[in-house]
Every structure is written in C-alpha cells, then in structure tokens.
Amino acid sequence: MSIVREPAGLALRLAAARRLGEVLAGAHFVPLGPSEIADGRDRALANRLVTTALRRHGQLNLAIARLLERGLPPRAGSFEPVLRLALAQLLYLPELGDHSALFLAGEAIRRDRRAAHLGKLLNAVLRRAQAEAAALRQAPDAALFPEELAARWRSAYGAAALDGFATALRDGAPLDLVLKDGAPELPGAVPVFADVVRLADRDRRVEDLPGYAAGRWWVQDLAASLPARLLTLPAGSRIADLCAAPGGKTAQLVKAGHAVTAVESDAARLARLGDNLRRLGYRAELVEADARAFRPDAPFDGVLLDAPCSATGTFRRHPEVIWHRSQRDIAGRVALQRELLAAAWRLVKPGGTLVYCVCSLEAEEGEAQADWALSRLSDSRLLPVAPGELGPLAAAVTSRGFLRTHPALAVPGAPGGLDGFFAARFRRA
Ligand SMILES: C[S@@+](CC[C@H](N)C(=O)[O-])C[C@H]1O[C@@H](n2cnc3c(N)ncnc32)[C@H](O)[C@@H]1O
C-alpha cells in the first residue's frame, strides 16, 4: 500500500487561501487560529501570507492588471486568493523563495475543481511575475489605498501624513498592553504611558506572554486607551460604557475605581467581555441591550459611547477595511451614531459628562458628529481636552479640544504610530 503525502506547506497555503477568499468576499479579517492550523510556525506563516496580501492589496491590483490582460477569470473558485498569495510571496516576501510560491500555488489550484482548469494560466502568470518582479515591486505607495480614500485623507491630514499612513499599512501595528498594576517582566517592552507598554515583537501569541493567565494586563491599542482617560470623574462614579465589547474601555473604567455598567447588543461579544473581565479579576454590571433602548433606573455621572463606525482608523491591523468601506457605508453609520449619541445623552445626569469616540479617520464620523451633538443635544457644552491631559501625546489634542490620533502621529520614545481615533467630551449644563 502506498501512502500519498501532501506536499509540505500545502495545508497552510490552502487555509491561507480560504481565509483570504473570505476576506475578499467581504468578511472581517480574523487571523487563523490553532483550531485551523495546529502548528504554531505554520500558523504564523499562513497569517503572514494573508496579511501581506491584504496590506499590499492595492499594489497587487496593479500587478494583476499588468499580468492578466483580460482580467481575473470569472467564477474561478480559489484562483484569485491563490494568485494573490503567490504574488505577495514573490514580490514582498522574497526571503521565502520563489519555488514554493509557484509550486504550492499550482498544487492548491489542482485541488479546487472550480479552478483546476486554470492551472496553466496561473503558472504562466506567476512565471511572468517572477521575471518582471523588479518592475512590479516599483508599484507606487499611492496605490496602497483606494484613490478616493487617499484623496480624502490627503486633504484632511496632509501629504506627509499620507506617506506615514502608507508606512503604517506596510509595517502593521506594534502590540500595546495596558497594565493592571505594576509591570510584569515583558521582554522588549517600551513604556509609553504610566500604565501602557509597547512591544515591537507582535508575532508572539499574546496568551504566551508573561502575565496573561494571571490577568496582569490586556491588549489595547494606545489610541483606543485614550478616550476612557478623558472621563476624569472621581473614583466611585457611576459610568455607563455603551457599545462595550470586547471591553478594553470597560476594564480601564473599572481600573479607575468606577461603578461601571457595560451595555452591548451582541450576546456573543458581551460574553467575551465577561470572560475578559474575569481574567483580569474585574467586575462590572453587564447588560445585553441595544444602547438606544437601554432604560436604566437612574442617570449616570459619566457615559462613554464608543460608537460602531467605518473603523478606517484600524487599517494597520485590519487592512481590509480600506477596501470594504464605501461612502454609503459611512453615511449609514453616521445616522446610527447620531441615534446612539441622542440615546447616550438621555443617560447623562445634569452636570455629568459624555465622551463620544470612534476608531475612524473620517471627519463625518468624528469632528462633524461633535458639532451635530453641540447643536442638537439640549444643554450640551464642549468640555475641551487640555493637551496636558494626555501627557506625552499632547500632539493628539486639536485646537478645539478634540482628541484626534492617526497612524502617522509619532509616539514619543516608542516605535510605530497609533490607530486613528476621534473623541470629544461634553458636559451637561
Ligand atoms: C467599536 S466596538 C466597541 C469596542 C469597545 N468599546 C472596547 O473598547 O473594547 C463597537 C461595539 O458596539 C456594539 N454595538 C453596535 N451597535 C450597538 C447598539 N446599537 N447598542 C449596543 N451595542 C452596539 C458592537 O457589537 C461592538 O461590540
């Protein structure tokens, strides 16, 4: 009896092609986990291939347009994700060698009955890409973002910032940890705030880092940790955290000594928030509800609304957002954010504080929503953020007292920038 072995490295490429195919079809990118690829090194390589293909999506579009004069074949199963992964390897991960890119792409296509007939085409395209690799790698940075988004960001943040966005997209995000108390021994950790450290090495599983099981810290991008700092109320205040899962901001508010009610409409995400708080040994009241319909017995001293948004500020970790979002999506979210803002405002007691935030780079979801809130929410006053409140990140405070971060903003003393975030603080007169 002869045993037919799969070529080494094929299984991880098939998993990578499946995941990339899902993302190309509109899904949110979730890294492949241990249940999908058990071996840690294979898993890391598969995720590296997918993230490189996603980060370089715009430049790969140019390569595909040049290599396939008639465009991508229609209804061709896994042809497109397999091609993109192989091109990403040939052009942007040359250290992995060309041979495995060509050979394993061919093997992957042979196993897909909807694409098997395209094996010859795939091979010809990849051989040409190999021959023209030097020219294909010259694709400009401008191609990294959809034209319309690049134009918006250039006019909002300037040409130099857009160059920084391109670097951030190519390089990805470092790993930021918020410390519960004191700093556990974390090799390579650079302090950026009294209770935030940054790790440049993000290839390690967070579960394997010292202090994870003991709940000594949680993962939260530096920018995402800023809005909760703006609720500068005395410890013991009653705070509602709206749209709360997975709970990074809830944890910060509990850590600050507040009595927190976390409201989240998605049951599975609320359960995850509960697990996260348990790991940290934190307690909060958890409410599964649409924040627009949440009717507590008494109003709150403070409300944090982290509204659902286009999430364009998270492109360093979710490069797909820049290709999935359209102007229409943004308009839809603007309407929901206004309903949530109005509902949040009803929960704030006289003299109380509301912090509104979004992880978006779009002014419609940020600065314009703050102006809408000031004109439409009765008795609302802007409570401007003072630059001194953000210590080393004073540059994130705008002249109007809003918080505005973006991936090209430097973090003093640490490598890498931040996610794009907007926050505004209001006081009820
Ligand atoms: C940007 S995420 C929040 C992140 C969270 N605040 C944190 O710091 O970890 C937005 C959350 O809002 C939830 N959500 C969306 N619409 C909602 C609504 N109408 N009411 C309550 N939660 C909502 C989503 O399920 C999602 O978990």
Side-chain angles (χ1 to χ4, degrees), residues 39-76:
D39 181 81
R41 282 174 58 170
D42 283 359
R43 191 166 61 243
L45 177 55
N47 281 324
R48 191 155 163 239
L49 287 166
V50 181
T51 47
T52 304
L54 291 173
R55 292 184 193 293
R56 300 286 186 162
H57 186 88
Q59 292 173 327
L60 293 182
N61 286 348
L62 289 187
I64 289 169
R66 173 168 162 162
L67 296 166
L68 278 155
E69 276 116 27
R70 289 201 232 142
L72 287 163
R75 293 179 297 284

mmCIF file of all heavy atoms in Angstrom, residues 39-76:
data_model
loop_
_atom_site.group_PDB
_atom_site.id
_atom_site.type_symbol
_atom_site.label_atom_id
_atom_site.label_comp_id
_atom_site.label_asym_id
_atom_site.label_seq_id
_atom_site.Cartn_x
_atom_site.Cartn_y
_atom_site.Cartn_z
ATOM 1 N N ASP A 39 0.004 23.730 14.110
ATOM 2 C CA ASP A 39 1.417 24.044 14.304
ATOM 3 C C ASP A 39 1.642 25.569 14.320
ATOM 4 O O ASP A 39 1.235 26.280 13.391
ATOM 5 C CB ASP A 39 2.229 23.417 13.159
ATOM 6 C CG ASP A 39 3.707 23.695 13.315
ATOM 7 O OD1 ASP A 39 4.358 22.984 14.087
ATOM 8 O OD2 ASP A 39 4.209 24.673 12.688
ATOM 9 N N GLY A 40 2.295 26.038 15.376
ATOM 10 C CA GLY A 40 2.446 27.485 15.564
ATOM 11 C C GLY A 40 3.221 28.152 14.446
ATOM 12 O O GLY A 40 2.877 29.245 14.004
ATOM 13 N N ARG A 41 4.281 27.485 13.955
ATOM 14 C CA ARG A 41 5.093 28.122 12.894
ATOM 15 C C ARG A 41 4.329 28.173 11.580
ATOM 16 O O ARG A 41 4.375 29.166 10.855
ATOM 17 C CB ARG A 41 6.411 27.369 12.730
ATOM 18 C CG ARG A 41 7.369 27.759 13.850
ATOM 19 C CD ARG A 41 8.608 26.949 13.815
ATOM 20 N NE ARG A 41 9.310 27.074 12.533
ATOM 21 C CZ ARG A 41 10.531 26.598 12.332
ATOM 22 N NH1 ARG A 41 11.168 25.993 13.295
ATOM 23 N NH2 ARG A 41 11.112 26.740 11.164
ATOM 24 N N ASP A 42 3.630 27.078 11.284
ATOM 25 C CA ASP A 42 2.816 27.074 10.053
ATOM 26 C C ASP A 42 1.740 28.153 10.127
ATOM 27 O O ASP A 42 1.463 28.855 9.154
ATOM 28 C CB ASP A 42 2.129 25.715 9.874
ATOM 29 C CG ASP A 42 3.097 24.659 9.353
ATOM 30 O OD1 ASP A 42 4.272 25.005 9.121
ATOM 31 O OD2 ASP A 42 2.679 23.495 9.212
ATOM 32 N N ARG A 43 1.147 28.271 11.327
ATOM 33 C CA ARG A 43 0.072 29.254 11.502
ATOM 34 C C ARG A 43 0.616 30.669 11.300
ATOM 35 O O ARG A 43 0.019 31.497 10.617
ATOM 36 C CB ARG A 43 -0.545 29.094 12.891
ATOM 37 C CG ARG A 43 -1.800 29.860 13.097
ATOM 38 C CD ARG A 43 -2.532 29.421 14.337
ATOM 39 N NE ARG A 43 -1.741 29.625 15.543
ATOM 40 C CZ ARG A 43 -1.313 28.671 16.348
ATOM 41 N NH1 ARG A 43 -1.598 27.417 16.090
ATOM 42 N NH2 ARG A 43 -0.590 28.940 17.415
ATOM 43 N N ALA A 44 1.792 30.918 11.878
ATOM 44 C CA ALA A 44 2.381 32.255 11.742
ATOM 45 C C ALA A 44 2.674 32.552 10.269
ATOM 46 O O ALA A 44 2.426 33.663 9.781
ATOM 47 C CB ALA A 44 3.666 32.345 12.581
ATOM 48 N N LEU A 45 3.178 31.526 9.536
ATOM 49 C CA LEU A 45 3.491 31.747 8.119
ATOM 50 C C LEU A 45 2.203 31.996 7.317
ATOM 51 O O LEU A 45 2.156 32.912 6.483
ATOM 52 C CB LEU A 45 4.252 30.530 7.560
ATOM 53 C CG LEU A 45 4.574 30.585 6.065
ATOM 54 C CD1 LEU A 45 5.333 31.856 5.702
ATOM 55 C CD2 LEU A 45 5.382 29.348 5.647
ATOM 56 N N ALA A 46 1.168 31.214 7.604
ATOM 57 C CA ALA A 46 -0.098 31.400 6.871
ATOM 58 C C ALA A 46 -0.644 32.811 7.121
ATOM 59 O O ALA A 46 -1.055 33.506 6.190
ATOM 60 C CB ALA A 46 -1.118 30.355 7.310
ATOM 61 N N ASN A 47 -0.607 33.239 8.376
ATOM 62 C CA ASN A 47 -1.126 34.580 8.688
ATOM 63 C C ASN A 47 -0.259 35.665 8.055
ATOM 64 O O ASN A 47 -0.765 36.707 7.631
ATOM 65 C CB ASN A 47 -1.223 34.768 10.207
ATOM 66 C CG ASN A 47 -2.463 34.072 10.768
ATOM 67 O OD1 ASN A 47 -3.512 34.046 10.116
ATOM 68 N ND2 ASN A 47 -2.357 33.502 11.953
ATOM 69 N N ARG A 48 1.034 35.401 7.959
ATOM 70 C CA ARG A 48 1.925 36.385 7.330
ATOM 71 C C ARG A 48 1.604 36.519 5.831
ATOM 72 O O ARG A 48 1.602 37.609 5.277
ATOM 73 C CB ARG A 48 3.371 35.914 7.542
ATOM 74 C CG ARG A 48 4.379 36.936 7.196
ATOM 75 C CD ARG A 48 5.663 36.689 7.959
ATOM 76 N NE ARG A 48 6.731 37.423 7.342
ATOM 77 C CZ ARG A 48 7.836 36.877 6.861
ATOM 78 N NH1 ARG A 48 8.051 35.590 6.969
ATOM 79 N NH2 ARG A 48 8.758 37.637 6.301
ATOM 80 N N LEU A 49 1.333 35.391 5.202
ATOM 81 C CA LEU A 49 0.980 35.432 3.775
ATOM 82 C C LEU A 49 -0.319 36.211 3.570
ATOM 83 O O LEU A 49 -0.409 37.074 2.693
ATOM 84 C CB LEU A 49 0.811 34.003 3.230
ATOM 85 C CG LEU A 49 2.105 33.194 3.043
ATOM 86 C CD1 LEU A 49 1.786 31.710 2.830
ATOM 87 C CD2 LEU A 49 2.902 33.728 1.858
ATOM 88 N N VAL A 50 -1.332 35.920 4.410
ATOM 89 C CA VAL A 50 -2.632 36.602 4.227
ATOM 90 C C VAL A 50 -2.487 38.095 4.512
ATOM 91 O O VAL A 50 -2.954 38.940 3.738
ATOM 92 C CB VAL A 50 -3.735 35.998 5.137
ATOM 93 C CG1 VAL A 50 -5.066 36.708 4.909
ATOM 94 C CG2 VAL A 50 -3.898 34.514 4.886
ATOM 95 N N THR A 51 -1.806 38.441 5.609
ATOM 96 C CA THR A 51 -1.723 39.873 5.940
ATOM 97 C C THR A 51 -0.889 40.614 4.888
ATOM 98 O O THR A 51 -1.211 41.755 4.543
ATOM 99 C CB THR A 51 -1.142 40.141 7.344
ATOM 100 O OG1 THR A 51 0.015 39.356 7.518
ATOM 101 C CG2 THR A 51 -2.110 39.817 8.443
ATOM 102 N N THR A 52 0.151 39.965 4.352
ATOM 103 C CA THR A 52 0.937 40.649 3.309
ATOM 104 C C THR A 52 0.062 40.890 2.078
ATOM 105 O O THR A 52 0.079 41.986 1.488
ATOM 106 C CB THR A 52 2.183 39.817 2.944
ATOM 107 O OG1 THR A 52 2.940 39.588 4.128
ATOM 108 C CG2 THR A 52 3.054 40.536 1.921
ATOM 109 N N ALA A 53 -0.730 39.885 1.709
ATOM 110 C CA ALA A 53 -1.622 40.061 0.542
ATOM 111 C C ALA A 53 -2.633 41.179 0.805
ATOM 112 O O ALA A 53 -2.971 41.936 -0.112
ATOM 113 C CB ALA A 53 -2.334 38.753 0.228
ATOM 114 N N LEU A 54 -3.097 41.299 2.050
ATOM 115 C CA LEU A 54 -4.085 42.345 2.356
ATOM 116 C C LEU A 54 -3.427 43.723 2.427
ATOM 117 O O LEU A 54 -3.959 44.712 1.927
ATOM 118 C CB LEU A 54 -4.805 42.030 3.670
ATOM 119 C CG LEU A 54 -5.748 40.820 3.626
ATOM 120 C CD1 LEU A 54 -6.276 40.496 5.018
ATOM 121 C CD2 LEU A 54 -6.916 41.078 2.671
ATOM 122 N N ARG A 55 -2.255 43.792 3.059
ATOM 123 C CA ARG A 55 -1.565 45.090 3.139
ATOM 124 C C ARG A 55 -1.192 45.602 1.753
ATOM 125 O O ARG A 55 -1.223 46.790 1.491
ATOM 126 C CB ARG A 55 -0.271 44.958 3.961
ATOM 127 C CG ARG A 55 -0.501 44.695 5.419
ATOM 128 C CD ARG A 55 0.798 44.674 6.208
ATOM 129 N NE ARG A 55 0.558 44.134 7.522
ATOM 130 C CZ ARG A 55 -0.177 44.721 8.454
ATOM 131 N NH1 ARG A 55 -0.696 45.896 8.219
ATOM 132 N NH2 ARG A 55 -0.375 44.147 9.618
ATOM 133 N N ARG A 56 -0.798 44.684 0.875
ATOM 134 C CA ARG A 56 -0.340 45.060 -0.467
ATOM 135 C C ARG A 56 -1.450 44.961 -1.505
ATOM 136 O O ARG A 56 -1.166 44.942 -2.705
ATOM 137 C CB ARG A 56 0.818 44.131 -0.868
ATOM 138 C CG ARG A 56 2.012 44.197 0.072
ATOM 139 C CD ARG A 56 2.777 45.474 -0.152
ATOM 140 N NE ARG A 56 4.015 45.521 0.629
ATOM 141 C CZ ARG A 56 5.014 46.349 0.369
ATOM 142 N NH1 ARG A 56 4.911 47.207 -0.624
ATOM 143 N NH2 ARG A 56 6.086 46.351 1.123
ATOM 144 N N HIS A 57 -2.698 44.891 -1.038
ATOM 145 C CA HIS A 57 -3.825 44.643 -1.940
ATOM 146 C C HIS A 57 -3.828 45.607 -3.138
ATOM 147 O O HIS A 57 -3.981 45.181 -4.285
ATOM 148 C CB HIS A 57 -5.133 44.773 -1.151
ATOM 149 C CG HIS A 57 -6.349 44.404 -1.939
ATOM 150 N ND1 HIS A 57 -6.832 43.117 -2.004
ATOM 151 C CD2 HIS A 57 -7.184 45.154 -2.709
ATOM 152 C CE1 HIS A 57 -7.903 43.094 -2.776
ATOM 153 N NE2 HIS A 57 -8.146 44.316 -3.210
ATOM 154 N N GLY A 58 -3.633 46.897 -2.867
ATOM 155 C CA GLY A 58 -3.707 47.889 -3.940
ATOM 156 C C GLY A 58 -2.576 47.695 -4.944
ATOM 157 O O GLY A 58 -2.768 47.815 -6.158
ATOM 158 N N GLN A 59 -1.379 47.388 -4.443
ATOM 159 C CA GLN A 59 -0.249 47.178 -5.360
ATOM 160 C C GLN A 59 -0.426 45.860 -6.125
ATOM 161 O O GLN A 59 -0.067 45.768 -7.297
ATOM 162 C CB GLN A 59 1.062 47.197 -4.574
ATOM 163 C CG GLN A 59 1.345 48.604 -4.035
ATOM 164 C CD GLN A 59 2.537 48.650 -3.104
ATOM 165 O OE1 GLN A 59 2.799 47.698 -2.373
ATOM 166 N NE2 GLN A 59 3.256 49.764 -3.109
ATOM 167 N N LEU A 60 -1.013 44.855 -5.470
ATOM 168 C CA LEU A 60 -1.282 43.599 -6.190
ATOM 169 C C LEU A 60 -2.332 43.815 -7.274
ATOM 170 O O LEU A 60 -2.297 43.173 -8.325
ATOM 171 C CB LEU A 60 -1.713 42.496 -5.215
ATOM 172 C CG LEU A 60 -0.636 42.012 -4.234
ATOM 173 C CD1 LEU A 60 -1.172 40.890 -3.349
ATOM 174 C CD2 LEU A 60 0.619 41.530 -4.969
ATOM 175 N N ASN A 61 -3.275 44.741 -7.043
ATOM 176 C CA ASN A 61 -4.247 45.062 -8.098
ATOM 177 C C ASN A 61 -3.529 45.524 -9.357
ATOM 178 O O ASN A 61 -3.871 45.131 -10.471
ATOM 179 C CB ASN A 61 -5.195 46.180 -7.648
ATOM 180 C CG ASN A 61 -6.215 45.699 -6.644
ATOM 181 O OD1 ASN A 61 -6.368 44.499 -6.430
ATOM 182 N ND2 ASN A 61 -6.913 46.631 -6.011
ATOM 183 N N LEU A 62 -2.499 46.375 -9.159
ATOM 184 C CA LEU A 62 -1.746 46.867 -10.322
ATOM 185 C C LEU A 62 -1.021 45.716 -11.010
ATOM 186 O O LEU A 62 -0.994 45.618 -12.237
ATOM 187 C CB LEU A 62 -0.708 47.911 -9.893
ATOM 188 C CG LEU A 62 -1.202 49.273 -9.435
ATOM 189 C CD1 LEU A 62 -0.020 50.210 -9.220
ATOM 190 C CD2 LEU A 62 -2.146 49.877 -10.466
ATOM 191 N N ALA A 63 -0.409 44.835 -10.198
ATOM 192 C CA ALA A 63 0.324 43.699 -10.775
ATOM 193 C C ALA A 63 -0.638 42.814 -11.572
ATOM 194 O O ALA A 63 -0.333 42.406 -12.700
ATOM 195 C CB ALA A 63 0.998 42.892 -9.659
ATOM 196 N N ILE A 64 -1.814 42.557 -11.002
ATOM 197 C CA ILE A 64 -2.783 41.672 -11.672
ATOM 198 C C ILE A 64 -3.254 42.314 -12.980
ATOM 199 O O ILE A 64 -3.376 41.651 -14.013
ATOM 200 C CB ILE A 64 -3.955 41.350 -10.723
ATOM 201 C CG1 ILE A 64 -3.456 40.413 -9.613
ATOM 202 C CG2 ILE A 64 -5.132 40.732 -11.453
ATOM 203 C CD1 ILE A 64 -4.412 40.198 -8.463
ATOM 204 N N ALA A 65 -3.465 43.630 -12.949
ATOM 205 C CA ALA A 65 -3.907 44.319 -14.172
ATOM 206 C C ALA A 65 -2.834 44.201 -15.265
ATOM 207 O O ALA A 65 -3.156 44.060 -16.448
ATOM 208 C CB ALA A 65 -4.191 45.785 -13.866
ATOM 209 N N ARG A 66 -1.565 44.215 -14.849
ATOM 210 C CA ARG A 66 -0.497 44.146 -15.845
ATOM 211 C C ARG A 66 -0.304 42.706 -16.355
ATOM 212 O O ARG A 66 -0.013 42.487 -17.537
ATOM 213 C CB ARG A 66 0.783 44.661 -15.183
ATOM 214 C CG ARG A 66 2.022 44.519 -16.009
ATOM 215 C CD ARG A 66 3.122 45.323 -15.362
ATOM 216 N NE ARG A 66 4.417 44.899 -15.855
ATOM 217 C CZ ARG A 66 5.508 45.609 -15.738
ATOM 218 N NH1 ARG A 66 5.460 46.775 -15.129
ATOM 219 N NH2 ARG A 66 6.657 45.168 -16.196
ATOM 220 N N LEU A 67 -0.478 41.740 -15.457
ATOM 221 C CA LEU A 67 -0.166 40.350 -15.821
ATOM 222 C C LEU A 67 -1.328 39.630 -16.509
ATOM 223 O O LEU A 67 -1.115 38.683 -17.249
ATOM 224 C CB LEU A 67 0.220 39.563 -14.560
ATOM 225 C CG LEU A 67 1.492 40.036 -13.838
ATOM 226 C CD1 LEU A 67 1.576 39.424 -12.456
ATOM 227 C CD2 LEU A 67 2.729 39.694 -14.660
ATOM 228 N N LEU A 68 -2.546 40.057 -16.203
ATOM 229 C CA LEU A 68 -3.726 39.384 -16.779
ATOM 230 C C LEU A 68 -4.463 40.388 -17.651
ATOM 231 O O LEU A 68 -5.358 41.096 -17.168
ATOM 232 C CB LEU A 68 -4.649 38.896 -15.663
ATOM 233 C CG LEU A 68 -4.282 37.580 -14.997
ATOM 234 C CD1 LEU A 68 -4.856 37.527 -13.599
ATOM 235 C CD2 LEU A 68 -4.802 36.398 -15.800
ATOM 236 N N GLU A 69 -4.081 40.432 -18.934
ATOM 237 C CA GLU A 69 -4.645 41.485 -19.786
ATOM 238 C C GLU A 69 -6.169 41.429 -19.851
ATOM 239 O O GLU A 69 -6.837 42.440 -19.969
ATOM 240 C CB GLU A 69 -4.047 41.402 -21.196
ATOM 241 C CG GLU A 69 -2.710 42.124 -21.309
ATOM 242 C CD GLU A 69 -1.567 41.162 -21.628
ATOM 243 O OE1 GLU A 69 -1.847 40.125 -22.248
ATOM 244 O OE2 GLU A 69 -0.419 41.438 -21.217
ATOM 245 N N ARG A 70 -6.726 40.207 -19.727
ATOM 246 C CA ARG A 70 -8.199 40.095 -19.801
ATOM 247 C C ARG A 70 -8.839 40.090 -18.412
ATOM 248 O O ARG A 70 -10.001 39.749 -18.272
ATOM 249 C CB ARG A 70 -8.584 38.833 -20.565
ATOM 250 C CG ARG A 70 -8.263 38.986 -22.038
ATOM 251 C CD ARG A 70 -9.082 38.017 -22.875
ATOM 252 N NE ARG A 70 -8.190 37.269 -23.745
ATOM 253 C CZ ARG A 70 -8.328 35.995 -24.044
ATOM 254 N NH1 ARG A 70 -9.318 35.301 -23.529
ATOM 255 N NH2 ARG A 70 -7.479 35.409 -24.855
ATOM 256 N N GLY A 71 -8.060 40.414 -17.425
ATOM 257 C CA GLY A 71 -8.607 40.482 -16.058
ATOM 258 C C GLY A 71 -8.728 39.102 -15.441
ATOM 259 O O GLY A 71 -8.379 38.084 -16.048
ATOM 260 N N LEU A 72 -9.239 39.072 -14.204
ATOM 261 C CA LEU A 72 -9.389 37.800 -13.491
ATOM 262 C C LEU A 72 -10.501 36.973 -14.139
ATOM 263 O O LEU A 72 -11.543 37.530 -14.491
ATOM 264 C CB LEU A 72 -9.753 38.075 -12.032
ATOM 265 C CG LEU A 72 -8.609 38.605 -11.171
ATOM 266 C CD1 LEU A 72 -9.159 39.242 -9.889
ATOM 267 C CD2 LEU A 72 -7.632 37.480 -10.816
ATOM 268 N N PRO A 73 -10.289 35.669 -14.309
ATOM 269 C CA PRO A 73 -11.371 34.856 -14.884
ATOM 270 C C PRO A 73 -12.570 34.824 -13.942
ATOM 271 O O PRO A 73 -12.389 34.776 -12.719
ATOM 272 C CB PRO A 73 -10.743 33.459 -15.018
ATOM 273 C CG PRO A 73 -9.515 33.477 -14.184
ATOM 274 C CD PRO A 73 -9.101 34.893 -13.971
ATOM 275 N N PRO A 74 -13.804 34.877 -14.482
ATOM 276 C CA PRO A 74 -14.986 34.887 -13.601
ATOM 277 C C PRO A 74 -15.265 33.493 -13.029
ATOM 278 O O PRO A 74 -14.847 32.486 -13.610
ATOM 279 C CB PRO A 74 -16.118 35.311 -14.541
ATOM 280 C CG PRO A 74 -15.656 34.936 -15.912
ATOM 281 C CD PRO A 74 -14.149 34.953 -15.908
ATOM 282 N N ARG A 75 -15.977 33.459 -11.904
ATOM 283 C CA ARG A 75 -16.401 32.196 -11.258
ATOM 284 C C ARG A 75 -15.280 31.175 -11.219
ATOM 285 O O ARG A 75 -15.408 30.055 -11.708
ATOM 286 C CB ARG A 75 -17.610 31.612 -11.988
ATOM 287 C CG ARG A 75 -18.885 32.453 -11.859
ATOM 288 C CD ARG A 75 -20.048 31.859 -12.618
ATOM 289 N NE ARG A 75 -19.813 31.798 -14.057
ATOM 290 C CZ ARG A 75 -19.884 32.854 -14.867
ATOM 291 N NH1 ARG A 75 -20.218 34.034 -14.389
ATOM 292 N NH2 ARG A 75 -19.643 32.728 -16.152
ATOM 293 N N ALA A 76 -14.142 31.574 -10.685
ATOM 294 C CA ALA A 76 -12.961 30.707 -10.766
ATOM 295 C C ALA A 76 -12.523 30.208 -9.404
ATOM 296 O O ALA A 76 -11.334 30.008 -9.168
ATOM 297 C CB ALA A 76 -11.833 31.456 -11.470
#
